[in-house]
Amino acid sequence: MPHLKRVNALKEAAFEEGGFDGYLIFNGINQLYFLGFPGTSALLVPPDGEATLYVYSVNYEQAKAMGKGFNVELVKANENFLAKIAKKAVDCKIKKLAVDALGVQTWVNLIDELGGPKVEVNNSHIESLRLVKDEVEIGLMRRAGELTGEGMKAAFEVVKPGAKEFEVAAQIEYAMRSRGAGPTAFESIVASGQCSAFPHGGCSGREIREGDLVVVDIGATYQYYCSDMTRTFVVGKPSSKQQKIYDTVKVAQQKAFEAAKAGVSAADLDAVARKFITAAGFGQYFVHRLGHGVGLEVHEPPSMSSTNKNKLVAGCVVTDEPGIYVPGFGGVRIEDTLLMGLHGAERLTTGPYNLKPA
Ligand code: ZN
Ligand code: ZN
């Protein structure tokens, strides 16, 4: 039961070390992390005994069927949801309650309902747990990476002169979903021509033309876990400038990959790629951080930026995605999702790096 294990890990971190004796989880993704299925409204972890999950009638039967090891409470439409949780927290004799995330008004109401116990906003324990993926999560992310690779294979086949960006995206998404992927981790980016110079270039009805750079940035999900991968193509023969930009990004991405392992900081890895791109004369066109963490969310900690001096730990999953974007000319980005290990990183997204579609 990986999910109950995660609840116990939270108790260990937040109760034994953090000084809390209750945890109230409202963030939907955090609930998904501890439960493994969506549709619940809150999760209360008491000092002793089963955690209680709160769910409205629309999702009640599903929660009962899937929430093994949890106490499932039905919230009726006419019931005061917060009062119900507060009563339980007081019954469990919670004295210091951590709450992961809450709107301001709900926060005020919750404090009102609770009366006595001390309440603190705290997401750090859950964030630390989610940062290091367990074996089950790594298995799911590996599959998400494979499915994303299948999507990229489709891109290699369909990117050609006359194809519209959204047609390419449709073929990519079909290839992923028809093999068992969930919804995409984010809106697929197929950005051609001058739009390739916008890092978040979207996907329009533009027809791809001979000589275009085409940035394809996609991600499948598998059982709620995300993946993230980018390749850039040139339709037709690349110009020498396109080739030079491409080669620079490719080497920068590989250098960061080779330097990646537990104990190295995100800032160090960002610097590896940035120094190389700067030395090649394109530093001003690398306009974003090296990457970001990936998990249940496609953008989550750790940030792979020049300001994040924290050391990466084994089991965290991050992207390595340098890019060069020359306004009015076009852009190149190459991205893989990496699993950090003690002695090096493993690519969870794999696939050829050809500049020209096959
Ligand atoms: Zn991406
Ligand atoms: Zn990314």
Side-chain angles (χ1 to χ4, degrees):
M1 292 294 277
H3 300 101
L4 289 178
K5 233 193 220 169
R6 288 174 205 160
V7 173
N8 287 333
L10 176 66
K11 284 172 132 179
E12 209 175 283
F15 296 180
E16 287 171 30
E17 294 153 32
F20 292 99
D21 61 353
Y23 223 118
L24 181 53
I25 301 162
F26 280 112
N27 176 283
I29 308 280
N30 283 345
Q31 290 176 54
L32 185 58
Y33 174 74
F34 289 110
L35 297 168
F37 60 91
T40 57
S41 296
L43 175 63
L44 178 68
V45 182
D48 305 298
E50 283 182 344
T52 299
L53 61 94
Y54 295 85
V55 54
Y56 284 92
S57 55
V58 59
N59 294 318
Y60 182 60
E61 287 304 323
Q62 186 187 15
K64 270 204 307 186
M66 301 181 87
K68 296 277 176 271
F70 293 88
N71 171 35
V72 184
E73 285 268 343
L74 173 67
V75 184
K76 299 195 190 96
N78 59 357
E79 230 174 342
N80 181 338
F81 170 52
L82 285 178
K84 199 177 170 85
I85 295 175
K87 183 175 182 313
K88 182 86 180 175
V90 171
D91 287 351
C92 292
K93 303 197 167 41
I94 292 172
K95 292 187 183 56
K96 194 176 170 200
L97 180 68
V99 182
D100 66 338
L102 209 52
V104 175
Q105 188 57 55
T106 318
W107 173 258
V108 171
N109 295 348
L110 176 70
I111 305 256
D112 251 18
E113 295 289 353
L114 272 170
K118 199 167 173 242
V119 192
E120 249 176 55
V121 178
N122 184 306
N123 190 44
S124 64
H125 300 108
I126 299 178
E127 190 178 300
S128 307
L129 290 177
R130 281 179 52 186
L131 193 72
V132 182
K133 273 63 186 173
D134 61 34
E135 282 307 312
V136 174
E137 294 180 290
I138 289 168
L140 299 177
M141 295 195 74
R142 202 167 256 135
R143 184 68 189 133
E146 287 166 5
L147 290 162
T148 306
E150 294 292 338
M152 200 57 81
K153 251 189 229 167
F156 269 95
E157 281 160 29
V158 295
V159 167
K160 55 179 75 143
K164 292 193 171 74
E165 291 175 358
F166 61 62
E167 291 169 349
V168 173
Q171 293 301 323
I172 290 167
E173 292 174 17
Y174 180 81
M176 300 193 298
R177 288 222 70 158
S178 61
R179 288 172 172 82
T184 55
F186 53 92
E187 276 189 42
S188 303
I189 294 174
V190 179
S192 63
Q194 293 196 6
C195 279
S196 65
F198 307 138
H200 294 143
C203 175
S204 73
R206 185 183 183 278
E207 245 179 43
I208 293 168
R209 292 184 219 125
E210 187 90 14
D212 277 353
L213 281 163
V214 187
V215 172
V216 177
D217 186 351
I218 57 171
T221 58
Y222 185 66
Q223 292 181 20
Y224 309 110
Y225 281 84
C226 301
S227 193
D228 195 0
M229 177 183 196
T230 307
R231 293 292 183 266
T232 301
F233 309 120
V234 164
V235 183
K237 191 175 153 35
S239 70
S240 60
K241 187 172 176 187
Q242 286 172 333
Q243 187 73 52
K244 182 167 184 226
I245 291 174
Y246 184 85
D247 291 343
T248 304
V249 174
K250 172 75 188 69
V251 174
Q253 204 250 11
Q254 179 65 21
K255 279 182 177 288
F257 169 71
E258 284 168 8
K261 62 177 179 188
V264 176
S265 78
D268 288 341
L269 288 186
D270 181 275
V272 167
R274 202 166 298 279
K275 268 187 197 146
F276 184 78
I277 288 174
T278 303
F282 296 109
Q284 64 175 304
Y285 302 119
F286 181 10
V287 293
H288 54 69
R289 58 188 175 165
L290 178 67
H292 50 86
V294 187
L296 284 167
E297 291 172 280
V298 73
H299 293 133
E300 60 176 47
S303 175
M304 298 294 286
S305 74
S306 60
T307 54
N308 183 4
K309 309 268 197 270
N310 293 335
K311 291 190 165 81
L312 295 163
V313 289
C316 74
V317 176
V318 300
T319 65
D320 171 14
E321 52 175 311
I324 294 174
Y325 312 91
V326 182
F329 176 79
V332 172
R333 177 167 65 257
I334 300 173
E335 172 180 31
D336 284 308
T337 301
L338 310 183
L339 168 64
M340 254 352 110
L342 285 176
H343 306 293
E346 176 196 344
R347 283 187 164 102
L348 297 182
T349 49
T350 55
Y353 294 95
N354 312 355
L355 181 52
K356 281 171 68 174

